[in-house]
Amino acid sequence: MRKAVFMQYETTCTEGFVKLLHKVRANFIGSSQEWIWMVADGAMAHRSNVAKAKMEELRIHYLQTVSYTPESNSIERLWNYLKKEVTKELLVRRTDQNIDSFKGIIKAACDSVDYERQRRAALLNNHRYLQSLLEP
């Protein structure tokens, strides 16, 4: 069984992506010689020379999703979930609408994204798409 790895940064940068790559390798259950397949969007941090060299070193294959295809990107399912959770909470707290309250609602929604929700998002969104890419 494989573990999902989730990291949150305020911006997408090469330094943060390289930290994620190390975390992915550290959490991988299997041989350190076994290659890992990583599916991600085409953000510049994912395609930088530094990131490419680190992926090669850590034995991580990078499969870039096709632009403008939300069905190939698991995060879209998670964004949808977070939007529903935040909206639901805002409707309940109609009188408490300050910025700190809003930040708290968003943090609580993000904290509710557990391993199982990540796994379901990845499987439901990507299974057929990835299968079509990997089949000869």
Side-chain angles (χ1 to χ4, degrees):
M1 183 171 150
R2 306 292 190 239
K3 292 171 66 175
V5 175
F6 179 74
M7 291 177 72
Q8 185 175 352
Y9 288 94
E10 290 191 17
T11 62
T12 303
C13 62
T14 300
E15 179 184 344
F17 185 62
V18 167
K19 287 178 183 178
L20 173 66
L21 294 172
H22 281 284
K23 189 172 180 180
V24 166
R25 177 46 79 186
N27 284 280
F28 181 71
I29 301 170
S31 165
S32 62
Q33 297 304 306
E34 200 173 339
W35 281 85
I36 297 170
W37 283 86
M38 174 181 270
V39 179
D41 63 20
M44 194 57 160
H46 304 159
R47 297 180 288 123
S48 72
N49 290 335
V50 171
K52 287 178 184 178
K54 188 54 68 177
M55 285 186 273
E56 184 70 26
E57 175 190 324
L58 296 173
R59 302 179 67 84
I60 298 173
H61 285 293
Y62 170 67
L63 179 62
Q64 182 178 329
T65 59
V66 179
S67 298
Y68 305 107
T69 54
E71 66 275 4
S72 70
N73 194 344
S74 303
I75 197 67
E76 297 300 331
R77 273 185 97 60
L78 294 176
W79 289 138
N80 194 24
Y81 166 78
L82 291 172
K83 181 180 172 184
K84 286 178 184 176
E85 290 298 303
V86 169
T87 302
K88 180 173 62 176
E89 195 61 32
L90 286 174
L91 290 173
V92 168
R93 297 184 188 192
R94 287 180 188 225
T95 58
D96 190 10
Q97 296 286 331
N98 64 47
I99 191 69
D100 290 330
S101 173
F102 185 61
K103 286 179 182 178
I105 291 169
I106 292 172
K107 182 174 180 348
C110 289
D111 289 346
S112 73
V113 179
D114 59 5
Y115 167 78
E116 183 58 25
R117 182 162 302 283
Q118 292 174 50
R119 188 185 71 77
R120 281 196 322 256
L123 290 175
L124 292 172
N125 241 24
N126 288 337
H127 179 71
R128 287 191 190 107
Y129 174 74
L130 292 177
Q131 192 172 24
S132 71
L133 290 176
L134 298 174
E135 288 178 350

